[in-house]
């Protein structure tokens, strides 16, 4: 049984090969006879156009919302393939032409004599170079006053050009998206109309894709597959066994699926080239927001400049962000921190500090840009201020020489300071350092001295530190400078008799006694520390003395006297 099936399958395949060969041979012979009569250049070009057209099932179908048929895609030449007649004598029509270019039934482009093919080569190449299949896509981002109304206007625009809306999206009140298709010939007019609807065109990107080569290849493959389909249908009718019929049917199904796939791709290329795609992103024109960056400032170099802006957001805007550009080339600062004010309609930004380190580039233009978001859409605003950076004048203060006074005596202070030009509201403050209220006042115009008198009621073992502070206003701001001195207050003397001061004498005696006591105490401590040394020295002295006595007593007396003994001392 298996052997019979294999033989049947082999027979079917052999019959397929023979049938295809017969079809090709018959087609060539008959077509050669027909085409040999068409020797003029016009008949050759007509035959070429008939071959290059797509199959009848591949004609471009208009979209549902566009009743008008799709404009014809560009012409593209196809390689010579596929027979025009079956070997069984039935005539097969050649493929119809492209939309707007009727085909030439029964005559394929490759079925010409060699003379006619040579004559039509130049005209065919020129025609193919002039007609290309181009797919154009345009992406636009436009700013519009009303997103909803603009979406409706763009939809109406597509219909006016016999196009249709591919997709549309409006999930946010201040943003939207719409995609439309319009005939390729009307694409430029549609773009001009969209520009007219917009307050501003943020971006416009146009891309073109040449699919001529792919289209030509698909047409050639389609003709071949259709010819194979016809041959398989004839073989299926002549199949004598079930196995042969099933084998032919499987191959026929595969070929038909390939034909449908090719036809679908051809139709897609025809429609996309005939109708260009326009993707339009719409953004609501931003609302205006009043922003006040503050008054212009004059600051000193390296001094922190405080920056804070006030703004009035439109209704429906409740999220904010702002950016400070300090104008000196440093990195801009961005933040979202804002706070309400006593005025319900206004808010303030967070305070930022910035220091400038270059006077030569002054003045600096400081800019703040505000953005707001909310149900009402987007709000924008900006403002600037000018920061003038200068060098602050320097005030040098000399508070005076150090002073020694007795308690209760008046201490006179006489201080001086430098007075640079441009200073106003010069004032001083004497802080005497003993906790009493400072002495303050204004310095008269042109004066550089400040005098004061103070009495210290209490003496201290350490000096007081009175300080003089000079303040003034300059163009760059307030200037402050300080100077100080030392005041030593000694205790006032007690009662005295004939130059003798009981208090001083008593204190002197106590101090002397203290010195004697401290000396005795120190000597006792040293004696205790070195007591082992003293004992050793004393013992050693005693031993040495006894040893010397023994030596003297043992020495013989040369004069006849008795030797010396301890009893003689008694």
């Amino acid at each position: 049984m298996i052997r019979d099936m294999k033989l049947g399958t082999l027979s079917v395949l052999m019959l397929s090969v023979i049938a295809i060969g017969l079809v090709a041979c018959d087609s060539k012979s008959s077509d050669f006879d027909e085409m040999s009569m068409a020797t003029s250049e016009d008949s050759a070009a007509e035959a070429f156009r008939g071959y290059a057209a797509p199959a009848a099932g591949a004609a471009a179908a208009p979209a549902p919302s566009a009743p008008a048929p799709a404009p014809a895609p560009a012409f593209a030449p196809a390689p010579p393939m596929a027979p025009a007649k079956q070997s069984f004598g039935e005539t097969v029509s050649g493929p119809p032409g492209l939309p707007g270019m009727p085909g030439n039934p029964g005559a394929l482009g490759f079925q010409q004599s060699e003379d006619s093919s040579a004559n039509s080569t130049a005209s065919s190449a020129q025609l193919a170079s002039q007609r290309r299949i181009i797919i154009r896509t345009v992406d636009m981002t436009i700013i519009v006053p009303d997103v909803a109304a603009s979406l409706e206007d763009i939809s109406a625009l597509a219909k006016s050009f016999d196009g249709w809306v591919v997709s549309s999206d409006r999930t946010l009140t201040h943003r939207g998206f719409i995609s439309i298709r319009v005939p390729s010939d009307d694409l430029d007019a549609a773009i001009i109309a969209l520009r007219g609807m917009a307050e501003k065109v943020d971006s416009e990107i146009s891309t073109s894709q040449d699919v001529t080569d792919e289209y030509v290849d698909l047409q050639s493959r389609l003709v071949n597959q259709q010819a194979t389909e016809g041959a398989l249908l004839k073989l299926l009718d002549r199949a004598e066994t079930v196995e042969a019929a099933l084998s032919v049917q499987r191959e026929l199904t595969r070929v038909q699926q390939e034909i449908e796939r090719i036809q679908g791709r051809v139709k897609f290329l025809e429609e996309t080239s005939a109708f260009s795609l326009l993707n339009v992103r719409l953004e609501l024109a931003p609302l205006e927001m009043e922003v006040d960056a503050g008054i212009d400032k004059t600051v000193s170099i390296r001094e922190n400049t405080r920056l804070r802006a006030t703004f009035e957001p439109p209704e429906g805007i409740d999220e904010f962000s702002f950016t400070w550009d300090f104008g000196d080339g440093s990195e801009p600062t961005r933040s979202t921190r804002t706070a309400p004010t006593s005025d319900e309609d206004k808010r303030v930004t967070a305070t930022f500090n910035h220091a400038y380190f270059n006077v030569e580039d002054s003045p600096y233009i400081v800019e703040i840009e505000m953005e707001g978001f909310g149900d009402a859409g987007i709000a924008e605003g900006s403002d600037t201020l000018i920061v003038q950076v200068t060098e602050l004048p320097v005030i040098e203060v000399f508070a005076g020489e150090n002073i020694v006074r007795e308690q209760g005596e008046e201490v006179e202070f006489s201080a001086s300071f430098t007075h640079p030009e441009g200073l106003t509201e010069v004032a001083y403050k004497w802080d005497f350092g003993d906790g009493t209220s400072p002495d303050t006042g204004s310095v008269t115009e042109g004066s550089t001295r400040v005098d004061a008198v103070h009495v210290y009621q209490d003496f201290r073992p350490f000096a007081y530190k009175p300080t003089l502070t000079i303040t003034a206003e300059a163009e760059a701001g307030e200037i402050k400078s300080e100077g100080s001195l030392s005041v030593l207050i000694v205790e006032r003397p007690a009662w005295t008799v004939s130059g003798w001061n009981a208090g001083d004498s008593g204190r002197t005696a106590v101090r002397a006694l203290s010195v004697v006591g401290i000396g005795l105490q120190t000597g006792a401590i040293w004696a205790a520390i070195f007591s082992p040394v003293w004992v050793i020295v004393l013992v050693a002295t005693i031993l040495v003395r006894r040893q010397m006595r023994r030596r003297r007593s043992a020495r013989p007396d040369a004069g006849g006297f008795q030797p010396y003994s301890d009893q003689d001392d008694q």
Side-chain angles (χ1 to χ4, degrees), residues 142 144-157 168 170 172-173 175-176 178 194 197-198 282 284:
I142 59 177
V144 296
D146 189 336
V147 173
S150 298
L151 287 173
E152 295 178 359
D153 293 342
I154 296 174
S155 178
L157 176 68
S168 179
R170 184 175 173 261
L172 298 175
T173 57
R175 286 193 179 95
I178 187 170
L194 288 173
M197 295 180 186
L282 300 95
L284 187 65

Side-chain angles (χ1 to χ4, degrees), residues 112-169:
Q112 310 175 44
S113 64
E114 294 181 0
D115 295 338
S116 61
S117 297
N119 294 335
S120 63
T121 301
S123 60
S124 300
Q126 182 179 4
L127 182 61
S129 64
Q130 294 175 354
R131 303 292 298 274
R132 309 290 296 177
I133 300 178
I134 306 297
I135 298 176
R136 292 186 62 188
T137 303
V138 178
D139 295 287
M140 297 181 66
T141 300
I142 59 177
I143 307 299
V144 296
D146 189 336
V147 173
S150 298
L151 287 173
E152 295 178 359
D153 293 342
I154 296 174
S155 178
L157 176 68
K159 294 178 180 178
S160 68
F161 285 112
D162 294 332
W164 68 91
V165 176
V166 178
S167 63
S168 179
D169 178 24

Side-chain angles (χ1 to χ4, degrees), residues 10 52 57 61 74 110 126 148 150 186 221 296 309 325-326 381 429 464 476 514 531:
L10 182 60
F110 68 86
Q126 182 179 4
S150 298
D186 298 325
R221 291 165 56 191
D296 296 342
D325 186 349
F326 303 109
K429 182 179 74 172
Y464 290 95
S514 299
S531 57

Side-chain angles (χ1 to χ4, degrees), residues 17-30:
V17 173
I18 295 171
I20 292 173
L22 292 174
V23 170
C25 293
D26 188 26
S27 174
K28 263 191 173 179
S29 61
S30 61

Side-chain angles (χ1 to χ4, degrees), residues 35-375:
M35 295 306 298
S36 62
M37 300 175 63
T39 57
S40 65
E41 182 176 350
D42 295 337
S43 62
E46 183 68 23
F48 187 80
R49 287 196 299 272
Y51 163 72
S65 61
F75 170 81
M81 292 276 309
K85 279 199 294 186
Q86 301 295 337
S87 59
F88 300 101
E90 295 186 15
T91 302
V92 178
S93 299
L98 297 176
M101 295 177 60
N104 185 16
L108 299 179
F110 68 86
Q111 296 169 349
Q112 310 175 44
S113 64
E114 294 181 0
D115 295 338
S116 61
S117 297
N119 294 335
S120 63
T121 301
S123 60
S124 300
Q126 182 179 4
L127 182 61
S129 64
Q130 294 175 354
R131 303 292 298 274
R132 309 290 296 177
I133 300 178
I134 306 297
I135 298 176
R136 292 186 62 188
T137 303
V138 178
D139 295 287
M140 297 181 66
T141 300
I142 59 177
I143 307 299
V144 296
D146 189 336
V147 173
S150 298
L151 287 173
E152 295 178 359
D153 293 342
I154 296 174
S155 178
L157 176 68
K159 294 178 180 178
S160 68
F161 285 112
D162 294 332
W164 68 91
V165 176
V166 178
S167 63
S168 179
D169 178 24
R170 184 175 173 261
T171 56
L172 298 175
T173 57
H174 57 281
R175 286 193 179 95
F177 174 81
I178 187 170
S179 180
I180 63 174
R181 283 194 179 273
V182 296
S184 298
D185 295 339
D186 298 325
L187 178 61
D188 294 334
I191 293 175
I192 294 174
L194 288 173
R195 292 172 183 168
M197 295 180 186
E199 290 186 357
K200 177 185 176 183
V201 178
D202 264 2
S203 65
E204 181 178 321
I205 303 173
S206 177
T207 58
S208 298
Q209 181 183 4
D210 189 345
V211 295
T212 306
D213 294 342
E214 181 183 1
Y215 187 81
V216 170
D217 181 65
L218 289 173
Q219 290 286 14
S220 176
R221 291 165 56 191
L222 181 60
V223 171
N224 291 335
Q225 293 294 336
Q226 287 175 340
T228 303
E229 180 188 22
L232 291 174
L233 287 173
K234 292 299 181 181
L235 289 176
L236 183 62
D237 293 339
R238 298 175 57 182
E240 297 180 354
T241 63
V242 175
E243 292 80 1
L246 291 175
S247 178
V248 174
Q249 182 64 41
R250 283 194 297 271
E251 184 66 18
L252 180 62
T253 301
R254 185 191 66 78
V255 171
Q256 289 175 341
Q257 290 176 351
E258 182 67 15
I259 290 174
E260 293 176 356
R261 189 189 69 79
I262 294 174
Q263 288 176 340
R265 181 62 180 172
V266 168
K267 184 178 180 180
F268 171 77
L269 293 178
E270 290 174 349
E271 290 184 352
T272 52
S273 62
F275 287 86
S276 297
L277 183 64
L278 261 170
N279 298 318
V280 185
R281 291 173 176 80
L282 300 95
E283 295 183 0
L284 187 65
L287 304 173
E288 293 185 1
M289 182 164 50
E290 295 184 4
V291 180
D292 182 12
I295 62 174
D296 296 342
K297 299 177 180 293
T298 301
V299 298
S300 64
I301 190 170
R302 292 178 292 276
E303 177 188 358
N304 279 332
T305 305
R306 293 170 55 86
L307 299 171
R308 186 174 71 168
T310 304
F311 63 97
E312 186 173 349
E315 186 177 355
I317 303 297
D318 50 16
E319 295 183 9
F320 310 98
S321 66
F322 60 92
T323 302
W324 279 108
D325 186 349
F326 303 109
D328 58 351
S330 60
E331 189 72 20
T333 301
R334 183 178 179 87
S335 177
T336 58
R337 295 180 297 165
T338 63
T341 63
S342 57
D343 188 348
E344 296 181 356
D345 296 332
K346 295 183 178 180
R347 297 178 68 88
V348 294
T349 65
T351 301
F352 281 86
N353 294 322
H354 186 74
Y356 294 90
F357 298 91
N358 193 338
V359 179
E360 296 178 356
D361 296 335
S362 178
Y364 297 94
I365 299 177
V366 182
E367 182 179 12
I368 181 173
E369 294 183 352
M370 291 287 306
E371 291 183 348
F373 310 92
D375 295 336

